[in-house]
Amino acid sequence: GQQLNQSPQSMFIQEGEDVSMNCTSSSIFNTWLWYKQDPGEGPVLLIALYKAGELTSNGRLTAQFGITRKDSFLNISASIPSDVGIYFCAGPTDSWGKFQFGAGTQVVVTP
Amino acid sequence: DAGVIQSPRHEVTEMGQEVTLRCKPISGHNSLFWYRQTMMRGLELLIYFNNNVPIDDSGMPEDRFSAKMPNASFSTLKIQPSEPRDSAVYFCASSPWTGAVQYFGPGTRLTVT
């Protein structure tokens, strides 16, 4: 079946540092979504990408839709303590809106 | 506007008991999804509905699990009988149209003892 790999699994960084994570798929996607989950809450949409090569920013977050359509990247610049959480990528697996989620990247920011 | 509403937020029950989780999607959304999240398996899609009709229930782990969507503003996920391995956080999500981004509720943390 379709595989969605997200890396790294976790990151421990100092406040002010930049963070990068990525997802790769065994299949071509026409949409990539990035979510963040805070402890005890549901995932919240950060960025949606719809076109190969697309680069989209949301504040200090920047995400890119890979040219091959099989990967996507999320960068967080100048991390702050509230960036702590689990970040998920997701891509569609059918035309009905079924999405597959990556395993998540846990980000820990230390002062 | 209110987001996806789930109840209860926490549920503790004994093995063998029936558990019913509830979800109210965002008004106007026509797709609804039920997920289960555990440390071991991550976020798994259990079932999803489009215009109140179940489209794919292949993620439902066993016959003990069932889901209904009697109308556009309400869905339930039922586990009967519950088992300790059902302990997880269950999320409901909705999207405004087929293939659109999904908006998640706060989840129900289920503990079966």
Side-chain angles (χ1 to χ4, degrees), chain B residues 13-35:
Chain B
T13 190
E14 291 184 345
M15 178 178 176
Q17 296 297 307
E18 177 179 296
V19 174
T20 299
L21 311 181
R22 296 172 177 80
C23 174
K24 177 178 170 55
I26 294 172
S27 177
H29 283 197
N30 73 353
S31 296
L32 183 141
F33 305 79
W34 281 102
Y35 291 87

PDB file of all heavy atoms in Angstrom, chain B residues 13-35:
ATOM      1  N   THR B  13     -13.986   3.782  31.453  1.00  0.00           N
ATOM      2  CA  THR B  13     -14.998   2.758  31.566  1.00  0.00           C
ATOM      3  C   THR B  13     -14.345   1.411  31.835  1.00  0.00           C
ATOM      4  O   THR B  13     -13.132   1.252  31.655  1.00  0.00           O
ATOM      5  CB  THR B  13     -15.847   2.682  30.288  1.00  0.00           C
ATOM      6  OG1 THR B  13     -16.972   1.840  30.496  1.00  0.00           O
ATOM      7  CG2 THR B  13     -15.025   2.137  29.129  1.00  0.00           C
ATOM      8  N   GLU B  14     -15.150   0.476  32.261  1.00  0.00           N
ATOM      9  CA  GLU B  14     -14.631  -0.858  32.527  1.00  0.00           C
ATOM     10  C   GLU B  14     -14.799  -1.741  31.295  1.00  0.00           C
ATOM     11  O   GLU B  14     -15.753  -1.588  30.515  1.00  0.00           O
ATOM     12  CB  GLU B  14     -15.351  -1.483  33.720  1.00  0.00           C
ATOM     13  CG  GLU B  14     -15.026  -0.803  35.044  1.00  0.00           C
ATOM     14  CD  GLU B  14     -15.672  -1.510  36.218  1.00  0.00           C
ATOM     15  OE1 GLU B  14     -16.587  -2.336  35.992  1.00  0.00           O
ATOM     16  OE2 GLU B  14     -15.278  -1.242  37.365  1.00  0.00           O
ATOM     17  N   MET B  15     -13.907  -2.658  31.195  1.00  0.00           N
ATOM     18  CA  MET B  15     -13.939  -3.626  30.107  1.00  0.00           C
ATOM     19  C   MET B  15     -15.319  -4.271  30.017  1.00  0.00           C
ATOM     20  O   MET B  15     -15.911  -4.643  31.038  1.00  0.00           O
ATOM     21  CB  MET B  15     -12.878  -4.693  30.371  1.00  0.00           C
ATOM     22  CG  MET B  15     -12.808  -5.798  29.374  1.00  0.00           C
ATOM     23  SD  MET B  15     -11.473  -6.933  29.807  1.00  0.00           S
ATOM     24  CE  MET B  15     -11.700  -8.176  28.569  1.00  0.00           C
ATOM     25  N   GLY B  16     -15.835  -4.370  28.789  1.00  0.00           N
ATOM     26  CA  GLY B  16     -17.128  -4.986  28.575  1.00  0.00           C
ATOM     27  C   GLY B  16     -18.275  -3.997  28.458  1.00  0.00           C
ATOM     28  O   GLY B  16     -19.354  -4.354  27.973  1.00  0.00           O
ATOM     29  N   GLN B  17     -18.028  -2.767  28.895  1.00  0.00           N
ATOM     30  CA  GLN B  17     -19.074  -1.758  28.836  1.00  0.00           C
ATOM     31  C   GLN B  17     -19.179  -1.160  27.436  1.00  0.00           C
ATOM     32  O   GLN B  17     -18.216  -1.176  26.658  1.00  0.00           O
ATOM     33  CB  GLN B  17     -18.792  -0.643  29.847  1.00  0.00           C
ATOM     34  CG  GLN B  17     -18.813  -1.105  31.298  1.00  0.00           C
ATOM     35  CD  GLN B  17     -20.178  -1.620  31.708  1.00  0.00           C
ATOM     36  OE1 GLN B  17     -21.198  -0.955  31.546  1.00  0.00           O
ATOM     37  NE2 GLN B  17     -20.211  -2.844  32.217  1.00  0.00           N
ATOM     38  N   GLU B  18     -20.337  -0.633  27.144  1.00  0.00           N
ATOM     39  CA  GLU B  18     -20.545   0.063  25.880  1.00  0.00           C
ATOM     40  C   GLU B  18     -20.085   1.509  26.008  1.00  0.00           C
ATOM     41  O   GLU B  18     -20.333   2.157  27.035  1.00  0.00           O
ATOM     42  CB  GLU B  18     -22.027   0.027  25.499  1.00  0.00           C
ATOM     43  CG  GLU B  18     -22.359   0.785  24.230  1.00  0.00           C
ATOM     44  CD  GLU B  18     -23.825   0.713  23.871  1.00  0.00           C
ATOM     45  OE1 GLU B  18     -24.307  -0.396  23.583  1.00  0.00           O
ATOM     46  OE2 GLU B  18     -24.493   1.772  23.897  1.00  0.00           O
ATOM     47  N   VAL B  19     -19.423   1.988  24.967  1.00  0.00           N
ATOM     48  CA  VAL B  19     -18.936   3.365  24.951  1.00  0.00           C
ATOM     49  C   VAL B  19     -19.486   4.057  23.717  1.00  0.00           C
ATOM     50  O   VAL B  19     -19.451   3.492  22.612  1.00  0.00           O
ATOM     51  CB  VAL B  19     -17.393   3.401  24.907  1.00  0.00           C
ATOM     52  CG1 VAL B  19     -16.893   4.819  24.751  1.00  0.00           C
ATOM     53  CG2 VAL B  19     -16.805   2.761  26.154  1.00  0.00           C
ATOM     54  N   THR B  20     -19.994   5.260  23.891  1.00  0.00           N
ATOM     55  CA  THR B  20     -20.487   6.041  22.762  1.00  0.00           C
ATOM     56  C   THR B  20     -19.808   7.398  22.741  1.00  0.00           C
ATOM     57  O   THR B  20     -19.886   8.143  23.714  1.00  0.00           O
ATOM     58  CB  THR B  20     -22.007   6.232  22.821  1.00  0.00           C
ATOM     59  OG1 THR B  20     -22.649   4.953  22.781  1.00  0.00           O
ATOM     60  CG2 THR B  20     -22.486   7.053  21.624  1.00  0.00           C
ATOM     61  N   LEU B  21     -19.146   7.671  21.644  1.00  0.00           N
ATOM     62  CA  LEU B  21     -18.484   8.957  21.453  1.00  0.00           C
ATOM     63  C   LEU B  21     -19.305   9.768  20.459  1.00  0.00           C
ATOM     64  O   LEU B  21     -19.837   9.219  19.491  1.00  0.00           O
ATOM     65  CB  LEU B  21     -17.060   8.753  20.913  1.00  0.00           C
ATOM     66  CG  LEU B  21     -16.193   7.725  21.659  1.00  0.00           C
ATOM     67  CD1 LEU B  21     -14.813   7.660  21.032  1.00  0.00           C
ATOM     68  CD2 LEU B  21     -16.119   8.030  23.127  1.00  0.00           C
ATOM     69  N   ARG B  22     -19.359  11.078  20.700  1.00  0.00           N
ATOM     70  CA  ARG B  22     -20.238  11.931  19.906  1.00  0.00           C
ATOM     71  C   ARG B  22     -19.461  13.037  19.213  1.00  0.00           C
ATOM     72  O   ARG B  22     -18.444  13.515  19.727  1.00  0.00           O
ATOM     73  CB  ARG B  22     -21.324  12.529  20.801  1.00  0.00           C
ATOM     74  CG  ARG B  22     -22.243  11.481  21.389  1.00  0.00           C
ATOM     75  CD  ARG B  22     -23.191  12.044  22.423  1.00  0.00           C
ATOM     76  NE  ARG B  22     -24.113  11.019  22.921  1.00  0.00           N
ATOM     77  CZ  ARG B  22     -23.816  10.120  23.839  1.00  0.00           C
ATOM     78  NH1 ARG B  22     -22.619  10.101  24.385  1.00  0.00           N
ATOM     79  NH2 ARG B  22     -24.728   9.233  24.218  1.00  0.00           N
ATOM     80  N   CYS B  23     -19.986  13.438  18.064  1.00  0.00           N
ATOM     81  CA  CYS B  23     -19.313  14.466  17.282  1.00  0.00           C
ATOM     82  C   CYS B  23     -20.344  15.343  16.579  1.00  0.00           C
ATOM     83  O   CYS B  23     -21.313  14.848  15.993  1.00  0.00           O
ATOM     84  CB  CYS B  23     -18.390  13.836  16.249  1.00  0.00           C
ATOM     85  SG  CYS B  23     -17.625  15.022  15.108  1.00  0.00           S
ATOM     86  N   LYS B  24     -20.092  16.642  16.653  1.00  0.00           N
ATOM     87  CA  LYS B  24     -20.884  17.603  15.881  1.00  0.00           C
ATOM     88  C   LYS B  24     -19.929  18.298  14.929  1.00  0.00           C
ATOM     89  O   LYS B  24     -19.041  19.034  15.370  1.00  0.00           O
ATOM     90  CB  LYS B  24     -21.541  18.623  16.806  1.00  0.00           C
ATOM     91  CG  LYS B  24     -22.324  19.711  16.074  1.00  0.00           C
ATOM     92  CD  LYS B  24     -22.978  20.663  17.066  1.00  0.00           C
ATOM     93  CE  LYS B  24     -23.559  21.888  16.373  1.00  0.00           C
ATOM     94  NZ  LYS B  24     -24.504  21.534  15.299  1.00  0.00           N
ATOM     95  N   PRO B  25     -20.063  18.068  13.625  1.00  0.00           N
ATOM     96  CA  PRO B  25     -19.139  18.690  12.673  1.00  0.00           C
ATOM     97  C   PRO B  25     -19.428  20.177  12.529  1.00  0.00           C
ATOM     98  O   PRO B  25     -20.436  20.686  13.015  1.00  0.00           O
ATOM     99  CB  PRO B  25     -19.449  17.950  11.366  1.00  0.00           C
ATOM    100  CG  PRO B  25     -20.880  17.535  11.498  1.00  0.00           C
ATOM    101  CD  PRO B  25     -21.085  17.246  12.954  1.00  0.00           C
ATOM    102  N   ILE B  26     -18.528  20.859  11.859  1.00  0.00           N
ATOM    103  CA  ILE B  26     -18.727  22.276  11.568  1.00  0.00           C
ATOM    104  C   ILE B  26     -19.938  22.411  10.637  1.00  0.00           C
ATOM    105  O   ILE B  26     -20.072  21.654   9.667  1.00  0.00           O
ATOM    106  CB  ILE B  26     -17.469  22.888  10.931  1.00  0.00           C
ATOM    107  CG1 ILE B  26     -16.320  22.869  11.951  1.00  0.00           C
ATOM    108  CG2 ILE B  26     -17.723  24.295  10.432  1.00  0.00           C
ATOM    109  CD1 ILE B  26     -14.972  23.259  11.385  1.00  0.00           C
ATOM    110  N   SER B  27     -20.786  23.356  10.946  1.00  0.00           N
ATOM    111  CA  SER B  27     -21.993  23.548  10.161  1.00  0.00           C
ATOM    112  C   SER B  27     -21.661  23.792   8.688  1.00  0.00           C
ATOM    113  O   SER B  27     -20.791  24.606   8.359  1.00  0.00           O
ATOM    114  CB  SER B  27     -22.780  24.747  10.717  1.00  0.00           C
ATOM    115  OG  SER B  27     -23.921  25.002   9.938  1.00  0.00           O
ATOM    116  N   GLY B  28     -22.352  23.051   7.815  1.00  0.00           N
ATOM    117  CA  GLY B  28     -22.128  23.225   6.385  1.00  0.00           C
ATOM    118  C   GLY B  28     -21.109  22.273   5.794  1.00  0.00           C
ATOM    119  O   GLY B  28     -20.999  22.165   4.570  1.00  0.00           O
ATOM    120  N   HIS B  29     -20.358  21.597   6.642  1.00  0.00           N
ATOM    121  CA  HIS B  29     -19.391  20.625   6.149  1.00  0.00           C
ATOM    122  C   HIS B  29     -20.110  19.345   5.740  1.00  0.00           C
ATOM    123  O   HIS B  29     -21.042  18.904   6.424  1.00  0.00           O
ATOM    124  CB  HIS B  29     -18.349  20.316   7.222  1.00  0.00           C
ATOM    125  CG  HIS B  29     -17.324  21.386   7.363  1.00  0.00           C
ATOM    126  ND1 HIS B  29     -16.119  21.184   8.012  1.00  0.00           N
ATOM    127  CD2 HIS B  29     -17.308  22.668   6.953  1.00  0.00           C
ATOM    128  CE1 HIS B  29     -15.405  22.294   7.969  1.00  0.00           C
ATOM    129  NE2 HIS B  29     -16.116  23.219   7.338  1.00  0.00           N
ATOM    130  N   ASN B  30     -19.663  18.730   4.626  1.00  0.00           N
ATOM    131  CA  ASN B  30     -20.390  17.553   4.162  1.00  0.00           C
ATOM    132  C   ASN B  30     -19.620  16.250   4.332  1.00  0.00           C
ATOM    133  O   ASN B  30     -20.105  15.189   3.962  1.00  0.00           O
ATOM    134  CB  ASN B  30     -20.818  17.724   2.698  1.00  0.00           C
ATOM    135  CG  ASN B  30     -19.654  17.599   1.731  1.00  0.00           C
ATOM    136  OD1 ASN B  30     -18.496  17.512   2.127  1.00  0.00           O
ATOM    137  ND2 ASN B  30     -19.966  17.578   0.443  1.00  0.00           N
ATOM    138  N   SER B  31     -18.398  16.338   4.854  1.00  0.00           N
ATOM    139  CA  SER B  31     -17.625  15.117   5.086  1.00  0.00           C
ATOM    140  C   SER B  31     -17.212  15.044   6.554  1.00  0.00           C
ATOM    141  O   SER B  31     -16.848  16.060   7.155  1.00  0.00           O
ATOM    142  CB  SER B  31     -16.361  15.088   4.215  1.00  0.00           C
ATOM    143  OG  SER B  31     -16.705  15.037   2.845  1.00  0.00           O
ATOM    144  N   LEU B  32     -17.282  13.827   7.102  1.00  0.00           N
ATOM    145  CA  LEU B  32     -16.935  13.633   8.503  1.00  0.00           C
ATOM    146  C   LEU B  32     -16.060  12.399   8.635  1.00  0.00           C
ATOM    147  O   LEU B  32     -16.304  11.373   7.980  1.00  0.00           O
ATOM    148  CB  LEU B  32     -18.203  13.476   9.360  1.00  0.00           C
ATOM    149  CG  LEU B  32     -17.991  13.336  10.867  1.00  0.00           C
ATOM    150  CD1 LEU B  32     -19.053  14.107  11.639  1.00  0.00           C
ATOM    151  CD2 LEU B  32     -17.951  11.896  11.308  1.00  0.00           C
ATOM    152  N   PHE B  33     -15.042  12.514   9.478  1.00  0.00           N
ATOM    153  CA  PHE B  33     -14.039  11.466   9.628  1.00  0.00           C
ATOM    154  C   PHE B  33     -13.873  11.123  11.104  1.00  0.00           C
ATOM    155  O   PHE B  33     -13.861  12.008  11.957  1.00  0.00           O
ATOM    156  CB  PHE B  33     -12.682  11.950   9.085  1.00  0.00           C
ATOM    157  CG  PHE B  33     -12.727  12.444   7.667  1.00  0.00           C
ATOM    158  CD1 PHE B  33     -13.193  13.713   7.379  1.00  0.00           C
ATOM    159  CD2 PHE B  33     -12.296  11.639   6.628  1.00  0.00           C
ATOM    160  CE1 PHE B  33     -13.238  14.180   6.068  1.00  0.00           C
ATOM    161  CE2 PHE B  33     -12.336  12.100   5.316  1.00  0.00           C
ATOM    162  CZ  PHE B  33     -12.807  13.364   5.035  1.00  0.00           C
ATOM    163  N   TRP B  34     -13.702   9.836  11.402  1.00  0.00           N
ATOM    164  CA  TRP B  34     -13.358   9.386  12.745  1.00  0.00           C
ATOM    165  C   TRP B  34     -11.952   8.784  12.707  1.00  0.00           C
ATOM    166  O   TRP B  34     -11.660   7.913  11.880  1.00  0.00           O
ATOM    167  CB  TRP B  34     -14.336   8.320  13.250  1.00  0.00           C
ATOM    168  CG  TRP B  34     -15.636   8.856  13.752  1.00  0.00           C
ATOM    169  CD1 TRP B  34     -16.839   8.871  13.115  1.00  0.00           C
ATOM    170  CD2 TRP B  34     -15.878   9.429  15.040  1.00  0.00           C
ATOM    171  NE1 TRP B  34     -17.805   9.426  13.908  1.00  0.00           N
ATOM    172  CE2 TRP B  34     -17.241   9.775  15.105  1.00  0.00           C
ATOM    173  CE3 TRP B  34     -15.069   9.688  16.158  1.00  0.00           C
ATOM    174  CZ2 TRP B  34     -17.826  10.369  16.234  1.00  0.00           C
ATOM    175  CZ3 TRP B  34     -15.647  10.269  17.273  1.00  0.00           C
ATOM    176  CH2 TRP B  34     -17.011  10.606  17.307  1.00  0.00           C
ATOM    177  N   TYR B  35     -11.092   9.264  13.610  1.00  0.00           N
ATOM    178  CA  TYR B  35      -9.715   8.776  13.731  1.00  0.00           C
ATOM    179  C   TYR B  35      -9.475   8.249  15.134  1.00  0.00           C
ATOM    180  O   TYR B  35     -10.125   8.644  16.087  1.00  0.00           O
ATOM    181  CB  TYR B  35      -8.709   9.917  13.494  1.00  0.00           C
ATOM    182  CG  TYR B  35      -8.620  10.447  12.087  1.00  0.00           C
ATOM    183  CD1 TYR B  35      -9.469  11.465  11.655  1.00  0.00           C
ATOM    184  CD2 TYR B  35      -7.665   9.968  11.205  1.00  0.00           C
ATOM    185  CE1 TYR B  35      -9.365  11.972  10.362  1.00  0.00           C
ATOM    186  CE2 TYR B  35      -7.547  10.473   9.916  1.00  0.00           C
ATOM    187  CZ  TYR B  35      -8.408  11.481   9.504  1.00  0.00           C
ATOM    188  OH  TYR B  35      -8.299  11.985   8.231  1.00  0.00           O
TER     189      TYR B  35
END
